[in-house]
Amino acid sequence: MQTDHIRNFCIVAHIDHGKSTLADRLLETTHTLDERQMREQVLDSNELERERGITIKLHAVRMGYRASDGDEYELNLIDTPGHVDFTYEVSRSLAACEGAILVLDATQGIQAQTLSNLFLALDANLEIVPVVNKIDLVGAEPEKRRAEVADLLGVKPESVLLASAKQGIGIPEILEAVVERVPPPTGNAADPLRALIFDSYYDQYQGAVPSVRVVDGVIRPGMHITFGNVNADYEVTEVGFMRLGRVPQPEIGPGEVGYVVAAIKEVSHTRVGDTILDAANRATTLLPGYQEARPMVFAGLYPTRTDDYEDLRDALEKLRLNDASLHYEPETSVALGFGFRCGFLGLLHMEIVQERLEREFGVDLITTVPNVEYHITLTDGTQMHIETPTAMPPRTRIETIAEPIVRARILCPSEYIGNVQKLCHERRGIFKHMHYPDPQRVELDFELPLSEIVLDFYDKLKGSTRGYAALDYEFLEYRPDQLVKLDILVNGEPVDAFSVIIHEEKAYLYGRDLVRKLKDLIPKQQFAIALQASIGNDIIARTNVSALRKNVTAKCYGGDITRKRKLLEKQKEGKKRMKQVGTVDIPQEAFLAVLNLGED
């Protein structure tokens, strides 16, 4: 296929604005799939994606389309996620494209992630094809939304397309707009090979299979390839393009999107953003890659049964092959035993990984409190980066603790401004800016500590705005603050799974609420159990789980009081000895209580 008849584009939008449904209609209209193969959300192959109605992984597919000018065009579509946690997937798609369809819900208008994805696309110099979707719904305001997008992009309102992906309205016009507006790729087949890896997955029979966008040169079976950042040599056994499955081709050339099979056993060799080169004729300059996914939230994953540790290790290894953003390393906890410290892109990403581990690999898990990475400066000037409270040095050695700050963009109806501001100020937010996209809605910009929003901020935001608010955030900087490590002591022994790094002003209330909740969850023993919250050597909250008491005086009928006292003293001595050697078995519900603290 000549490069001037190739169009590479992606679909970007806020979550639940109809990206996957639009992709379905494009596949139907171009007859890429027959009726037998079609189903709703056809590109969302993962069970969790279909169940939750969200896209988690990007999906590439090639379509053939005969345009109104009579020519046959090759359209390479990459469907992308819409949730804020998966922005890295969107950036990977943009690097392989020349254009982007920006989808907007006719009932909701511009949302936080709409703006975020638009800015990503503009930074990548992509041609934007704006589409107002769901115009068939009762509450739709297509002309109003059309004017909003036109004003945002600085284009004429009539250039914004109206569509209903569910009803199939406006789909031919979108395909024509892609052919007319999205520029064809550039590249020369005679130049040395340069192909950008934008995704990869693992096939147990054929090794790591990278998804690539060829920029220069040609890849064909039999040639030897290498990588820009890895010194390795592999022979290509198969190339082709994706259409729900792999479709082999004799070669793929400049501007084309496809896959490469070369029996690559080392998954680390197919790093996203790297360049594939011809081993016999290496190009002198590599393609500008993009940054690899950077974990923002860290949590410990432990099997409920210690015998399942190896199964969890195998499950994480297999999951890592298909999810390049998952980071993990072994970790040991006094309370929970052997497990792994994992890095995630956000709380939704953590939920998805946990659910996949339990469903696909049958591993029952305990998850510790999510944390973020802190930068610590010691009194001797040494810098430390820690992801878990157990790694925190003593208070006497710490000069400053810096936490990650994010810039949060919140869009909501204007009547909820007070609720949003109250919630953000409770989470130590700093108000920066307010903007009205239209008279009914407002955009609020806050600087917030990442640790304050990773756990339940999104749920609270939705609750305080009746579900109308949209949130998007990006990392800003590390900023020092009055942070302390809060420990929970059970019978004088710290339980590392309950430890958190928290702001000094919030430590007392958090510690008090947690020990009260644990009191109800930890079963009674034959001896009293002391539950304490401490910062260093200072106890800031305490409660007791009272002992189970046997009535040892029940067998005494009358007689001297000294007989009863003797029995009570004997029981008291026994409980004292038991407390010295006894251990407290903490149930799983107690560890889970930390995650939903404050929901009652």
Side-chain angles (χ1 to χ4, degrees), residues 119-339:
F119 295 150
L120 283 172
L122 292 174
D123 288 344
N125 295 318
L126 265 57
E127 183 64 35
I128 307 296
V129 180
V131 175
V132 175
N133 190 25
K134 304 187 183 182
I135 61 170
D136 58 312
L137 296 184
V138 177
E141 300 174 292
E143 292 304 325
K144 179 182 176 183
R145 304 308 178 198
R146 192 182 220 176
E148 279 180 18
V149 183
D151 184 51
L152 179 66
L153 295 173
V155 296
K156 294 180 179 178
E158 53 268 26
S159 69
V160 180
L161 305 176
L162 301 180
S164 168
K166 197 165 190 178
Q167 301 294 333
I169 301 168
I171 304 302
E173 289 79 3
I174 294 174
L175 288 166
E176 285 295 326
V178 168
V179 170
E180 291 171 11
R181 301 186 200 176
V182 175
T186 57
N188 191 343
D191 287 346
L193 172 65
R194 292 194 305 164
L196 178 70
I197 301 174
F198 65 87
D199 194 18
S200 81
Y201 66 94
Y202 192 79
D203 185 297
Q204 61 179 336
Y205 301 109
Q206 296 178 314
V209 181
S211 298
V212 299
R213 152 69 195 278
V214 181
V215 176
D216 292 314
V218 174
I219 306 181
R220 57 176 67 91
M223 69 184 289
H224 285 256
I225 58 170
T226 184
F227 303 96
N229 294 305
V230 178
N231 188 17
D233 189 306
Y234 295 100
E235 182 181 349
V236 178
T237 56
E238 184 186 314
V239 296
F241 61 85
M242 301 299 292
R243 186 175 283 168
L244 279 198
R246 301 203 299 253
V247 182
Q249 295 289 298
E251 63 179 36
I252 50 175
E256 293 190 288
V257 174
Y259 67 90
V260 178
V261 177
I264 303 168
K265 299 303 180 189
E266 292 293 328
V267 183
S268 58
H269 289 183
T270 59
R271 287 198 304 174
V272 168
D274 204 353
T275 307
I276 292 182
L277 305 169
D278 186 344
N281 183 19
R282 286 180 66 106
T284 52
T285 55
L286 301 180
L287 295 170
Y290 37 81
Q291 294 181 347
E292 283 199 35
R294 177 182 177 182
M296 300 294 282
V297 178
F298 298 87
L301 295 183
Y302 294 86
T304 51
R305 296 181 306 161
T306 52
D307 295 345
D308 291 342
Y309 174 73
E310 290 300 328
D311 293 340
L312 177 57
R313 181 197 293 277
D314 294 341
L316 283 168
E317 279 181 12
K318 290 173 183 173
L319 194 58
R320 175 79 168 81
L321 302 179
N322 292 313
D323 187 352
S325 58
L326 174 63
H327 294 259
Y328 67 92
E329 57 185 33
E331 183 182 55
T332 307
S333 164
V334 176
L336 302 174
F338 293 103

Side-chain angles (χ1 to χ4, degrees), residues 491 493 525-528 573-585:
N491 260 1
E493 294 294 326
Q525 308 287 327
Q526 292 287 342
F527 52 90
E573 286 297 319
K575 285 186 180 292
K576 192 173 178 181
R577 271 198 313 276
M578 197 182 294
K579 188 173 182 179
Q580 290 172 349
V581 297
T583 57
V584 181
D585 186 24

Side-chain angles (χ1 to χ4, degrees), residues 83-88 293-299 323 325-326 342-354 367 370-372 450 453-455 458 473:
H83 194 277
V84 59
D85 279 6
F86 300 106
T87 302
Y88 83 106
R294 177 182 177 182
M296 300 294 282
V297 178
F298 298 87
D323 187 352
S325 58
L326 174 63
C342 301
F344 307 96
L345 300 166
L347 210 63
L348 177 65
H349 186 217
M350 185 179 104
E351 281 180 36
I352 296 294
V353 168
Q354 186 178 351
T367 309
N371 282 296
V372 298
L450 181 61
I453 68 172
V454 293
L455 198 56
Y458 191 66
Y473 61 85

